[in-house]
Amino acid sequence: MGIPQGLTMLGLVDGNNFYVSCERIFDPTLRNAPTIVLSNNDGCAIARSNEAKALGIKMGQPLHEIPSNLRRNLHVRSANFALYGDISNRVATVLKDLFAQVEMYSIDESFIALDGIKEADWIPTCVEARQRILKWVGIPTCVGIGPTKTLAKLANKSAKTTPQGVLRATRGLVRRFPVEDVWGVGRKYAQRLKSEGVTTAQHLSEMDPTSLQSRYGVVLARTQKELRGIPCAELEVEEPQRQQIIVSRSFGKEITDINDLMQATSTFAQRACEKLRRRNLQAGGVWVFFHTNPFKDVPQYHPHKSLSFVIPTSDTRDILCMVEGLTKAMYRDAYAWKKAGVGLLDLTSETIAQGDLFAQASPRSTALMNVLDQCNEKFGRGAMSFASSAVAPDTKAKWEMRQSNLSQAFTTRWSGLLNVRL
DNA sequence: TCTGGGGTCCTAGGACCC
DNA sequence: TCTGGGGTCCTAGGACCC
């Protein structure tokens, strides 16, 4: 998997305003129009078209803080992760056709290895990749090229403002690049660095490494090395095994009743179990938390607790049992809850099972969970679930999240197919 | 009125062991 | 007044990412 030193050249392919671009594939009225996609619960802007950026809408800005005169002309969509995930896979398919090694780094970014391609062909090949992705999938992208991931990221960011959309990292680029935009430099570090006069990527790369490491930690020291062209992170073509799976949501409305809270944690636990089994993993422990509303001036409470299993399990019944116990133990009736979450911890592969001297694994458990998963895959999520998460027919849970501008599942559900009239 | 979700890695400090 | 040294493991919190 490793790339021989000296030959390494990496590209970073990144979807422009990715979620907005996904929405635009199926809704041409959004093209060239200011558009944003909101976080869950229709809370904040998490993707903005260039037109929306030009209006001054900030990343992470809450919808209710966007002035009403701007909102009149603004197209707003609720997050549709089923759609974005599917489009993301299509982009990766095109890349895997062109490049031997592709690391899907996030839903909208992939690193590619350019080794095996002549240096003169690096840029033309990346231009070809961009064109294919635009034509075949409908997503505009940019590509940054560099000897390390950090430099490829840097070039990618700079490529956004070029007509070609493909750019190779150069000394000049590093000299002008703002330190706060460097991959691995967040808000806190940027502030500290600037206070000592470090404002560009070039400045950061020239700091004394020993002093940098002792004051900022080994992570930023690696970033510095990468800026100097020394790779510290390899391409990860195989997806590393997950350590934890978390399902959490803010509620559309605050809830106070323990039954509503139980219903929520139970729903999240079942969803987490689905993800767990899809990856053929088992959980060694469970974690539950809930939150009062941090934006309200009321007494806050944020209880959280975890428990371990004697033997790891992927059986929803075992996990629900723990989650219900933890929820009951932490619930206090004096508070209104705004958010809850369930985590599965200490994940291990299903095939590596530590036996229990006093208990026997039940072969029927696996069979039952298979039926449950197959049923939900075939008939839609929640088709078959446990009573602890059930709501009365034709009603919604009190805590259901708001999604008032959700687009269809165009590519993943038959009922979501786009109708075209001639 | 309305304010996201899901991850990783590193470090410091405490508990505990011999 | 003086009060060891060295190790592991776990957890909480902080930083970062998209």
Side-chain angles (χ1 to χ4, degrees):
Chain A
M1 211 188 310
I3 300 157
Q5 284 245 343
L7 299 172
T8 310
M9 192 53 67
L10 300 172
L12 176 65
V13 187
D14 169 287
N16 301 343
N17 315 327
F18 185 66
Y19 299 161
V20 168
S21 298
C22 289
E23 296 288 344
R24 281 178 168 174
I25 297 175
F26 296 96
D27 187 350
T29 63
L30 304 179
R31 295 180 195 168
N32 304 311
T35 306
I36 59 171
V37 171
L38 298 174
S39 59
N40 274 335
N41 235 359
D42 289 346
C44 311
I46 54 169
R48 305 157 295 154
S49 71
N50 291 343
E51 299 80 9
K53 289 175 188 169
L55 290 178
I57 294 166
K58 300 275 175 272
M59 185 64 179
Q61 190 171 8
L63 178 63
H64 72 268
E65 282 179 10
I66 298 174
S68 52
N69 62 321
L70 296 187
R71 277 167 72 172
R72 264 194 293 279
N73 299 317
L74 188 64
H75 295 268
V76 177
R77 290 290 177 272
S78 302
N80 185 348
F81 291 111
L83 175 66
Y84 313 150
D86 185 63
I87 300 300
S88 173
N89 287 330
R90 293 173 188 222
V91 171
T93 304
V94 176
L95 289 175
K96 285 173 185 167
D97 233 24
L98 273 169
F99 303 100
Q101 291 184 302
V102 178
E103 171 187 343
M104 287 181 73
Y105 172 71
S106 74
I107 195 163
D108 68 332
E109 288 170 79
S110 289
F111 286 103
I112 51 175
L114 296 175
D115 40 344
I117 300 171
K118 285 204 308 267
E119 182 169 354
D121 291 335
W122 288 344
I123 288 186
T125 309
C126 291
V127 169
E128 167 71 14
R130 271 193 91 214
Q131 285 166 351
R132 282 195 193 179
I133 293 167
L134 185 62
K135 192 168 178 186
W136 296 356
V137 189
I139 295 290
T141 55
C142 283
V143 190
I145 300 172
T148 66
K149 285 184 168 179
T150 304
L151 285 170
K153 286 280 280 192
L154 186 150
N156 175 279
K157 188 134 191 168
S158 309
K160 304 270 176 197
T161 55
T162 65
Q164 194 182 31
V166 179
L167 201 61
R168 187 171 166 184
T170 58
R171 288 181 191 285
L173 221 50
V174 174
R175 205 176 309 126
R176 293 189 300 272
F177 200 79
V179 75
E180 67 268 25
D181 291 342
V182 172
W183 193 39
V185 177
R187 256 211 342 258
K188 290 275 166 71
Y189 286 171
Q191 222 174 8
R192 263 177 77 188
L193 287 166
K194 282 184 180 174
S195 76
E196 45 181 308
V198 176
T199 59
T200 65
Q202 171 90 18
H203 289 159
L204 176 57
S205 77
E206 286 168 351
M207 287 174 79
D208 174 58
T210 316
S211 152
L212 183 74
Q213 174 156 348
S214 67
R215 292 182 300 128
Y216 288 85
V218 66
V219 180
L220 196 62
R222 276 182 212 144
T223 296
Q224 186 199 34
K225 268 191 164 179
E226 289 230 326
L227 281 175
R228 294 177 173 191
I230 306 158
C232 297
E234 287 186 341
L235 212 61
E236 287 177 43
V237 177
E238 302 284 336
E239 196 190 349
Q241 196 196 283
R242 287 285 193 86
Q243 299 176 21
Q244 51 183 36
I245 290 172
I246 294 172
V247 176
S248 75
R249 292 283 180 279
S250 292
F251 303 142
K253 287 192 202 111
E254 289 170 14
I255 56 175
T256 51
D257 191 311
I258 188 167
N259 293 315
D260 291 324
L261 194 57
M262 292 279 277
Q263 196 182 55
T265 54
S266 163
T267 305
F268 302 163
Q270 289 177 63
R271 181 81 193 96
C273 289
E274 280 172 23
K275 294 185 178 187
L276 181 76
R277 291 191 294 266
R278 184 176 290 249
R279 293 170 178 273
N280 301 315
L281 297 171
Q282 298 177 305
V286 173
W287 178 61
V288 178
F289 73 88
F290 11 104
H291 258 287
T292 46
N293 188 343
F295 296 100
K296 272 197 176 166
D297 188 20
V298 294
Q300 298 290 317
Y301 190 37
H302 176 190
H304 59 105
K305 261 201 173 85
S306 58
L307 283 174
S308 296
F309 290 108
V310 177
I311 32 169
T313 179
S314 62
D315 189 315
T316 306
R317 295 170 299 175
D318 297 336
I319 287 159
L320 274 181
C321 188
M322 289 278 214
V323 167
E324 285 173 22
L326 287 167
T327 306
K328 277 183 190 156
M330 293 190 295
Y331 172 80
R332 299 288 180 273
D333 59 9
Y335 296 95
W337 308 107
K338 180 60 180 167
K339 180 176 180 174
V342 172
L344 302 178
L345 314 171
D346 304 327
L347 305 185
T348 49
S349 168
E350 246 173 8
T351 52
I352 315 166
Q354 170 75 52
D356 180 349
L357 192 58
F358 305 106
Q360 281 183 337
S362 159
R364 300 186 62 187
S365 161
T366 314
L368 181 64
M369 292 303 122
N370 279 343
V371 169
L372 181 65
D373 292 337
Q374 283 164 17
C375 183
N376 285 328
E377 187 154 333
K378 186 164 181 185
F379 298 107
R381 186 175 297 160
M384 191 188 273
S385 65
F386 287 81
S388 50
S389 62
V391 288
D394 301 320
T395 58
K396 276 189 169 181
K398 266 189 203 155
W399 45 270
E400 195 82 21
M401 67 178 172
R402 280 185 305 273
Q403 286 183 306
S404 24
N405 300 290
L406 185 63
S407 51
Q408 292 154 243
F410 296 106
T411 59
T412 53
R413 200 173 298 162
W414 289 112
S415 62
L417 275 181
L418 189 66
N419 279 317
V420 180
R421 288 194 193 85
L422 295 173

